[in-house]
Amino acid sequence: MIGRVLLRRAVEHRRPAVGKADLGYLFLPGAWGFGYATEACVAVLDWFDRVLPGEPAVLVTQSANASSMRLAAKLGFTEVERFEAWGAEQWLGERAPAGSSA
């Protein structure tokens, strides 16, 4: 295993995220930079859009994590807010439901 992708209902994040599908991912450093996270997250979000059409997804990452911020943008997440948690500034993004004009 080189990493994992997780979708769960957000219960612990900021108010704008609670109850929405929360996308999380974690890959081993040796797997960084090969596009595996992009490929895996795209597949998960495609599945999500088919199974739960019309549902938005959220993602939280450290704003200092440039690679994760690029991935979030590539996946279609846009900034909702920034906040302090876990000793660093966090970025909360939301992805509009597939097919929406939002």
Side-chain angles (χ1 to χ4, degrees):
M1 184 171 90
I2 61 167
R4 66 180 182 180
V5 178
L6 171 71
L7 264 179
R8 64 183 180 139
R9 289 285 170 200
V11 294
E12 301 168 2
H13 291 313
R14 308 292 284 192
R15 185 175 307 140
V18 172
K20 295 179 182 167
D22 179 21
L23 177 69
Y25 45 86
L26 179 68
F27 286 81
L28 295 173
W32 296 353
F34 295 98
Y36 300 135
T38 301
E39 183 178 350
C41 289
V42 165
V44 167
L45 289 169
D46 285 348
W47 171 86
F48 173 71
D49 290 339
R50 286 192 311 275
V51 174
L52 295 170
E55 292 243 4
V58 296
L59 178 151
V60 173
T61 188
Q62 284 191 7
S63 57
N65 185 336
S67 296
S68 192
M69 294 291 291
R70 281 191 303 274
L71 177 58
K74 193 181 297 187
L75 296 172
F77 287 85
T78 58
E79 184 172 325
V80 173
E81 70 177 358
R82 292 176 188 235
F83 61 96
E84 289 290 322
W86 306 292
E89 182 183 74
Q90 306 298 315
W91 181 90
L92 169 64
E94 184 170 334
R95 178 180 166 268
S100 76
S101 57

